[in-house]
Amino acid sequence: MKIKYVIRSVAFVITACFMLISLTVFCQANNPRDVLGMYGFYQEPESSIDVGIIGASEVYSGFYSPLAYEKYGFTSYALSTSAMPASLFVPAIKELYSKQKPQVLVIEMWSYTYNKKMQTSEDSLRKFLDNTPPSDNKTETIKKLIPEDQQKYYKYPVLKYHNFSSNLPNCSKVAIDKIKYKRRGYSIIKNYSTTTFSFSKNPDKHNSDNRAKKVSFSDEGIKYLKETLEYCKNSKIENVLFVYFPDLNTFNKENFAKSEQLITSYGYNFINLNNHKKEIGLENKDFYNICHLNINGAVKLTNYLGKYIDNNYKIEKNHSQEVKKEWDDCASYNDFIIENCRKKLKKNKEIQIYRESEFLTIK
Amino acid sequence: MTLTSINFFVFVAAVLLLYYCFPKKLRWTVLLAASYFYYIITCPKYFAFILFTTISTYFGALKIDEIAKNTSDTIKARKNEWSLQERKNFKLKEQKKKKKLLAIILVINFGILATLKYYNNFSQSLAALINKTGLGISFPSLGILLPLGISFYTFQTMGYAVDVYRGKTKSEKNIGKLALFTSFFPQIIQGPISIYNDLAPQLYEPHSLKFENIRDGFQLIIWGLFKKIVIADRFIQPMNKIAELRTAGQADAAKMFLYVLLYSVQLYADFSGGIDISRGIAKMLGIDLAINFKRPYFSKSISEYWRRWHITLGAWCKNYIFYPVAMSKPFVNLGRRTKEKFGRHLGKQLPGSIATIITFLVIGIWHGSNLKYVGFGLWNGLVIFCSNLLEPSFQKINKKLKIRTETFSFRIFQMARTFIIVLVGYYFDIADNFRDAVRLIIKLFTDLNLSSVFSKSQIISIGFTKDELPCYAIGITVLFAVSLYEERNHTTLQKSLNQQSIWFQWFVMLVGIAAIFVLGSYGPGFSASDFVYMQF
């Protein structure tokens, strides 16, 4: 066969592979908010994050990292996805430490109240696993948490997401934002997202999903809490703060006291911010549903928690010029973003904002 | 290892690499090893059956050839000693030997096929019939499935045996080569059924690596995968939904008509897609397998339909059933007597038409043991029978009504008419049994409300969603557009494509790959369907 045909064939194969890889990346928008949140983490310069926060949606809706940087000078990133189960906390910590060396690890504890079904729900697992790059950590997690016959669909997420024809708008938006992050080298909003809704004074007036529940620790939760504690201890992670973000549920106090005992027995700190709502200045209208804060709530919580972390942990804030420039840039948008979100909040239309463009445009 | 699995394509890549790296003289052995490897991996328990067919046919054909050679040698040697009559008698005696031997080969191998395919159903039906008299009889059932491709390789190999008997081809002296002809892996699952003289030389001849073969084969594979994965496997979803509704007694005539319409697309895309993949793989090896489909839904008559649908099965049945039956003494005599009594047209058509019915009965039985397949064969045979016999009457009607049969509108009418006849035939396919098929067909004509077939509620009730509809639409549109282009231009899209600039060729192929990737029915939530004709 002539050389030119060999070259043509090879060139075609390379082009086809490139096209398929691009389509693979493009099609994977299972939940655009989480895709971008996780993607943003991997864009951060290595070893530039002072405080890593692990948890579910309470975290990314309640803590605004650029504001914490502006107020207290430490960098942070919420490595969190929607309904992230506690079964993923150890893998998430491993992922965090694979790229960063945070001086403080904050673990939001709401996920430890999930029951067994929620700890292994495909939807929740995928939001994290599908958005992490291939690694030993990912492979081990898949082997541990996923039934054998389903594992290949997690190893190769494209098998699930290839049919994105119905999801084209989301895939396109995600692709555009990913390119922006890549070009810039970071995301401005650091996985923050909010919903423009404010609870009325009486949350029980809302639908059943938004009525306060009595929450307690599940057996699964205890199991994963122990797993997390053991991992942190064995990995010699010294500064770990276990925290309950504020919400409007009621708690089984005994049950929660046990978890606090367990945590402190490992020498780690624990704080239940529900006991500090007054100090934080939180009211019902600072929530957009039973367990999530809106922009007003997030600002208050970030101020309080940021101060708590800064006061209780000696964080060295020596960053390179490049990292400082990045975070100064992000912080420069804080006032505008917060004000913009408040304006949208006033309309009370319950819209989730997670894209940079939505934070930065007035509509 | 189905034709659309990743493992299969890894296997094909390995075979291609080995084939072109091997010394030329031994390349056919690579194909044999690959074919046997594929068969053993896919169907290990029933490997003995294909082995038996190969060995029995090999020795049988050798012996037939030997008898034929001895006959001609003996007659040559005794040319001066024997009279013409003696030579004729000797020839006849040897011919009888050959016939007997051929009959043994055919009976044994078709007997195996018939037993494996029809015994269980036949024994159950027989027992049910006998038990109506009050006797409590039951026959033991054969606890084995059909060996992979048994219908295809049996027909193909028996065709070879008959060709040796007829003197059309010499018997193959090398058992390995015959084994390759019998088991060639790209076509073992669902054909095409090849003629020995067409395929064998290509199998044994060492092919050099040619860019055009790789390119053309690759294009065929892409097209086949598009039809199978994007269209056929997707259409299974709403069909399964209707089947569920039918089981629950909620499928009316409109739903069943919709089912048959979907089935017509799904079956064609599945079968022709699989054939294209097979042909593509063979082409990459330098081998041209027979075309098995030629846009059958553009046919203007049922006869034409069967010259465009599963072409090789039709050709096989024509060569080995229709012509022997139609040219047999009883049928020739029938023709002569009919001509004397009823005129030239009937005398010419009647024997052929009866032979056609017999042929289609065989085609029907080939599809399965259920009586409904007999109905399927009978339906097609009778339609052709009637259209052949009534042709002069139709011509008179057209003349009287001044219908211009050469016009575009009349051709559309003919295509629509043929398609409806084909759809009625499909009711036999989809029904549970013969009675059920007849009931469904009656309902089609008495209860069908055409306006409700494509109503919004109907579409939603069978699982079509707004998100999925574009995928169906794209698949159907592309299939139709390509078929229309090929029909109008009397060429294949592939030929036209390869005449275009390299960039355009690349563009089309990349779009095809992207379409399979994005629109294909695979992954969690989709259950990949087996190729329909794999069950044969």
Side-chain angles (χ1 to χ4, degrees):
Chain A
M1 203 157 84
K2 288 183 188 169
I3 290 286
K4 79 170 181 182
Y5 292 131
V6 174
I7 294 170
R8 264 191 207 172
S9 306
V10 169
F12 179 82
V13 168
I14 291 171
T15 311
C17 288
F18 179 74
M19 178 192 72
L20 288 175
I21 290 168
S22 305
L23 282 173
T24 307
V25 173
F26 182 80
C27 72
Q28 212 163 297
N30 52 356
N31 177 352
R33 199 230 73 80
D34 291 319
V35 172
L36 289 174
M38 291 292 291
Y39 188 77
F41 169 72
Y42 291 101
Q43 302 312 302
E44 295 294 323
E46 286 200 10
S47 307
S48 64
I49 299 295
D50 300 322
V51 177
I53 314 172
I54 305 285
S57 49
E58 289 80 5
V59 172
Y60 63 65
S61 61
F63 191 84
Y64 186 42
S65 295
L67 182 63
Y69 173 78
E70 184 188 348
K71 292 273 164 110
Y72 308 107
F74 65 78
T75 59
S76 58
Y77 202 100
L79 190 62
S80 69
T81 55
S82 169
M84 183 193 270
S87 56
L88 284 178
F89 277 11
V90 168
I93 294 170
K94 287 181 184 174
E95 209 58 35
L96 176 67
Y97 280 83
S98 71
K99 295 261 321 180
Q100 303 294 335
K101 286 178 179 39
Q103 296 169 58
V104 180
L105 175 64
V106 178
I107 296 176
E108 205 287 322
M109 295 184 66
W110 179 244
S111 301
Y112 292 114
T113 66
Y114 292 175
N115 59 27
K116 190 173 182 180
K117 195 177 168 186
M118 289 170 74
Q119 295 290 359
T120 51
S121 108
E122 183 190 345
D123 197 44
S124 307
L125 292 174
R126 279 195 172 278
K127 283 169 186 167
F128 179 79
L129 288 171
D130 289 346
N131 295 311
T132 51
S135 65
D136 291 341
N137 179 26
K138 183 172 176 175
T139 308
E140 272 168 39
T141 309
I142 290 170
K143 274 191 188 153
K144 190 179 166 195
L145 296 176
I146 312 298
E148 204 175 328
D149 60 329
Q150 297 292 311
Q151 284 178 13
K152 66 173 178 274
Y153 301 122
Y154 285 78
K155 282 183 197 160
Y156 311 107
V158 66
L159 291 176
K160 181 161 174 77
Y161 299 112
H162 64 93
N163 193 350
F164 61 83
S165 50
S166 58
N167 204 16
L168 211 50
N170 280 338
C171 291
S172 309
K173 286 178 195 170
V174 164
I176 291 167
D177 284 3
K178 275 183 171 179
I179 292 168
K180 273 188 199 164
Y181 289 8
K182 190 82 185 170
R183 286 178 74 181
R184 193 192 300 127
Y186 53 88
S187 98
I188 289 171
I189 53 177
K190 311 294 185 204
N191 198 16
Y192 177 71
S193 72
T194 188
T195 299
T196 55
F197 186 74
S198 191
F199 249 142
S200 63
K201 284 179 185 173
N202 184 359
D204 279 346
K205 277 195 173 170
H206 292 266
N207 61 39
S208 59
D209 282 353
N210 267 328
R211 295 220 178 100
K213 301 170 192 96
K214 189 156 188 195
V215 180
S216 61
F217 244 83
S218 63
D219 291 339
E220 289 294 304
I222 293 284
K223 176 181 124 188
Y224 289 118
L225 176 59
K226 281 182 182 165
E227 189 183 271
T228 313
L229 288 163
E230 279 297 318
Y231 179 78
C232 291
K233 186 181 170 190
N234 293 337
S235 306
K236 296 184 174 46
I237 301 173
E238 288 179 7
N239 298 330
V240 185
L241 173 65
F242 287 82
V243 57
Y244 278 109
F245 273 34
D247 63 35
L248 297 174
N249 291 306
T250 60
F251 295 83
N252 180 327
K253 285 186 179 159
E254 276 173 21
N255 187 253
F256 276 69
K258 275 186 190 162
S259 65
E260 183 180 351
Q261 258 180 333
L262 188 58
I263 291 163
T264 50
S265 73
Y266 276 78
Y268 295 129
N269 290 344
F270 166 82
I271 180 169
N272 185 348
L273 292 174
N274 288 288
N275 299 333
H276 299 268
K277 277 181 187 165
K278 263 193 179 161
E279 293 161 56
I280 298 170
L282 286 173
E283 300 170 48
N284 286 355
K285 63 181 178 167
D286 294 325
F287 290 82
Y288 75 75
N289 67 12
I290 286 298
C291 23
H292 299 95
L293 296 165
N294 56 32
I295 185 64
N296 290 330
V299 168
K300 290 175 185 175
L301 177 62
T302 306
N303 285 335
Y304 184 87
L305 184 58
K307 188 177 180 183
Y308 181 92
I309 292 169
D310 199 36
N311 288 348
N312 286 281
Y313 297 96
K314 281 192 186 139
I315 301 176
E316 285 173 24
K317 298 160 192 173
N318 303 326
H319 299 118
S320 66
Q321 282 303 313
E322 193 194 313
V323 170
K324 273 194 184 146
K325 196 176 167 196
E326 170 198 325
W327 282 85
D328 287 342
D329 180 43
C330 298
S332 70
Y333 291 98
N334 286 349
D335 290 343
F336 181 85
I337 285 173
I338 292 167
E339 199 42 49
N340 199 13
C341 287
R342 282 178 173 154
K343 278 182 186 163
K344 290 179 184 183
L345 180 62
K346 278 185 182 157
K347 292 178 185 172
N348 225 20
K349 280 189 176 171
E350 205 164 353
I351 299 167
Q352 189 189 39
I353 307 173
Y354 61 90
R355 297 182 70 203
E356 278 183 7
S357 54
E358 290 161 344
F359 281 106
L360 296 172
T361 51
I362 302 167
K363 260 188 194 172
Chain B
M1 227 189 342
T2 63
L3 287 189
T4 52
S5 64
I6 302 278
N7 290 344
F8 179 75
F9 285 107
V10 169
F11 164 72
V12 167
V15 171
L16 282 169
L17 191 65
L18 265 174
Y19 183 80
Y20 288 115
C21 290
F22 245 58
K24 279 191 171 179
K25 272 190 180 167
L26 295 172
R27 282 183 183 174
W28 69 270
T29 61
V30 173
L31 296 183
L32 174 63
S35 300
Y36 270 13
F37 175 80
Y38 179 74
Y39 202 94
I40 290 169
I41 289 285
T42 314
C43 191
K45 280 188 198 170
Y46 305 114
F47 180 63
F49 288 99
I50 194 172
L51 213 55
F52 178 82
T53 298
T54 306
I55 294 170
S56 61
T57 311
Y58 171 74
F59 285 111
L62 269 184
K63 191 71 191 169
I64 290 172
D65 229 10
E66 194 186 304
I67 295 171
K69 189 170 182 297
N70 282 344
T71 308
S72 76
D73 286 349
T74 307
I75 287 173
K76 253 190 198 157
R78 304 279 173 108
K79 194 177 171 183
N80 296 323
E81 291 172 39
W82 287 352
S83 66
L84 183 67
Q85 191 57 43
E86 277 175 323
R87 290 202 297 270
K88 262 188 181 172
N89 290 342
F90 177 75
K91 214 174 173 181
L92 213 65
K93 199 177 97 184
E94 295 303 290
Q95 183 75 358
K96 274 187 183 161
K97 271 190 199 169
K98 274 172 45 179
K99 213 175 210 175
K100 210 174 176 179
L101 195 49
L102 177 68
I104 291 170
I105 299 170
L106 293 178
V107 163
I108 290 177
N109 285 286
F110 278 122
I112 292 171
L113 174 63
T115 306
L116 293 175
K117 210 165 174 173
Y118 306 114
Y119 170 79
N120 282 343
N121 205 315
F122 178 75
S123 63
Q124 276 167 23
S125 306
L126 185 64
L129 195 67
I130 294 172
N131 289 337
K132 277 186 179 169
T133 61
L135 286 167
I137 281 184
S138 73
F139 296 101
S141 68
L142 273 181
I144 49 178
L145 302 171
L146 280 181
L148 180 70
I150 187 169
S151 298
F152 294 99
Y153 73 67
T154 305
F155 270 51
Q156 183 160 296
T157 320
M158 292 306 102
Y160 157 75
V162 173
D163 283 349
V164 170
Y165 167 80
R166 285 175 178 173
K168 277 189 173 175
T169 187
K170 290 279 171 213
S171 63
E172 178 52 61
K173 304 284 182 283
N174 186 324
I175 192 171
K177 287 185 175 178
L178 186 66
L180 173 56
F181 172 74
T182 309
S183 63
F184 184 46
F185 76 91
Q187 61 170 80
I188 195 75
I189 291 181
Q190 52 177 14
I193 301 170
S194 301
I195 305 289
Y196 184 81
N197 280 346
D198 293 338
L199 180 60
Q202 295 189 78
L203 287 176
Y204 313 146
E205 178 198 328
H207 300 281
S208 304
L209 181 61
K210 279 187 185 159
F211 173 75
E212 289 77 20
N213 288 342
I214 303 293
R215 177 198 62 197
D216 292 353
F218 185 70
Q219 287 167 349
L220 277 169
I221 292 171
I222 292 175
W223 182 229
L225 285 173
F226 181 86
K227 283 195 274 189
K228 169 64 177 161
I229 295 179
V230 174
I231 302 176
D233 284 352
R234 190 171 290 280
F235 272 67
I236 281 283
Q237 322 291 334
M239 284 169 63
N240 285 343
K241 184 73 189 165
I242 297 177
E244 275 171 31
L245 291 170
R246 191 169 164 224
T247 310
Q250 292 167 16
D252 56 8
K255 273 205 179 58
M256 290 315 297
F257 183 66
L258 189 55
Y259 184 94
V260 147
L261 279 177
L262 293 169
Y263 180 72
S264 68
V265 176
Q266 193 273 335
L267 182 67
Y268 173 63
D270 186 283
F271 200 1
S272 65
I275 293 290
D276 283 340
I277 296 170
S278 301
R279 289 181 60 230
I281 294 166
K283 185 68 185 176
M284 283 178 148
L285 294 161
I287 297 160
D288 285 310
L289 290 179
I291 292 172
N292 222 13
F293 293 90
K294 255 187 190 160
R295 305 168 295 283
Y297 296 140
F298 284 93
S299 305
K300 295 187 280 299
S301 67
I302 284 291
S303 303
E304 188 184 347
Y305 172 81
W306 282 100
R307 291 194 295 276
R308 291 179 181 237
W309 177 279
H310 206 169
I311 295 169
T312 56
L313 176 65
W316 193 98
C317 289
K318 196 159 81 170
N319 277 329
Y320 302 110
I321 299 173
F322 176 78
Y323 283 135
V325 169
M327 301 299 198
S328 63
K329 243 189 188 164
F331 273 69
V332 169
N333 291 339
L334 173 67
R336 199 178 53 240
R337 273 186 257 120
T338 313
K339 185 179 170 184
E340 285 164 11
K341 268 196 171 162
F342 299 105
R344 200 173 157 210
H345 171 71
L346 217 57
K348 193 178 166 191
Q349 292 296 337
L350 189 65
S353 300
I354 295 174
T356 300
I357 291 180
I358 294 170
T359 307
F360 273 97
L361 275 173
V362 171
I363 289 177
I365 293 167
W366 180 89
H367 280 83
S369 55
N370 197 307
L371 207 59
K372 66 177 183 171
Y373 293 115
V374 174
F376 169 75
L378 211 57
W379 167 252
N380 281 277
L382 280 172
V383 168
I384 296 174
F385 177 87
C386 294
S387 63
N388 285 345
L389 293 183
L390 297 173
E391 202 195 323
S393 312
F394 289 141
Q395 281 175 358
K396 275 185 193 159
I397 293 170
N398 289 338
K399 206 172 178 182
K400 208 153 197 179
L401 294 176
K402 292 190 181 151
I403 295 171
R404 289 162 57 200
T405 57
E406 74 285 359
T407 56
F408 173 72
S409 54
F410 190 76
R411 284 205 298 275
I412 296 290
F413 159 73
Q414 285 177 309
M415 286 184 213
R417 177 193 64 192
T418 306
F419 185 63
I420 289 169
I421 294 171
V422 166
L423 285 184
V424 171
Y426 282 154
Y427 273 92
F428 289 97
D429 265 359
I430 65 169
D432 295 329
N433 50 51
F434 182 81
R435 213 179 262 180
D436 189 36
V438 170
R439 189 182 57 81
L440 285 172
I441 292 167
I442 291 170
K443 268 196 159 182
L444 168 69
F445 291 105
T446 57
D447 293 359
L448 178 65
N449 181 0
L450 263 177
S451 61
S452 70
V453 171
F454 297 109
S455 64
K456 195 174 177 183
S457 57
Q458 190 80 274
I459 300 291
I460 292 168
S461 73
I462 58 171
F464 281 107
T465 60
K466 202 175 76 174
D467 295 338
E468 288 272 297
L469 275 173
C471 301
Y472 288 97
I474 291 170
I476 285 280
T477 306
V478 168
L479 184 61
F480 181 72
V482 169
S483 302
L484 188 65
Y485 175 86
E486 291 182 343
E487 185 71 13
R488 294 199 72 171
N489 296 287
H490 303 291
T491 182
T492 61
L493 184 68
Q494 187 179 36
K495 276 194 189 131
S496 303
L497 181 64
N498 292 335
Q499 287 164 0
Q500 309 305 317
S501 80
I502 185 87
W503 302 113
F504 188 74
Q505 289 178 42
W506 274 33
F507 173 74
V508 170
M509 287 196 282
L510 287 171
V511 167
I513 293 169
I516 294 165
F517 180 84
V518 172
L519 301 175
S521 302
Y522 60 91
F526 291 109
S527 52
S529 61
D530 284 335
F531 284 93
V532 172
Y533 274 75
M534 201 168 148
Q535 62 184 305
F536 303 106

